[in-house]
Amino acid sequence: MKVLRGTCLCEAVRFEAEDNFEQFHLCHCDQCKKISGGAHVSNLFLAPSRFTWLSGKQQINQYDVPGRNISNAFCKHCGSPVPYLSSSKRWVIVPAGSLDSSPSLAPQDHIFVKEKASWYKNIRGIKQYSGFPE
């Protein structure tokens, strides 16, 4: 089984995960927009037995959203989203952007689209650049 590594932005938090993710959702709920500061989060779901902390676990803060089964886990130093154990303990939720390489599983769906940011709609035709526009 291929193993993927990941880190936070400052690399204080390091982990590895088997590339055997069972779910990959792009979530547009209001809470996930707040967590990410963007249009959605990109979360992978993995069995805890397939995940290992390598370093920095003590550098993580976690906020459990009241009344919801979601959390926001992030590095205390750089604020980057990092993996966390779901409240059910069934899944480790891995932010896709925290991985150093791409998982074999592609996003399966967009969820909570009723709460999608209005500015995120009709974006197919907008310009794209490989870096900052000139």
Side-chain angles (χ1 to χ4, degrees), residues 17-76:
E18 290 181 16
D19 190 11
N20 192 21
F21 295 99
E22 295 183 44
Q23 299 176 37
F24 190 173
H25 305 289
L26 306 178
C27 183
H28 295 266
C29 79
D30 291 336
Q31 292 78 24
C32 284
K33 288 185 295 195
K34 295 281 186 188
I35 287 169
S36 70
H40 60 78
V41 297
S42 306
N43 284 336
L44 293 146
F45 289 61
L46 182 71
S49 62
R50 299 173 187 265
F51 180 88
T52 305
W53 292 108
L54 299 176
S55 64
K57 189 175 178 184
Q58 69 282 2
Q59 302 304 319
I60 297 172
N61 275 348
Q62 183 167 327
Y63 173 73
D64 299 319
V65 178
R68 297 290 302 263
N69 287 331
I70 63 171
S71 298
N72 183 20
F74 52 94
C75 172
K76 293 179 194 179

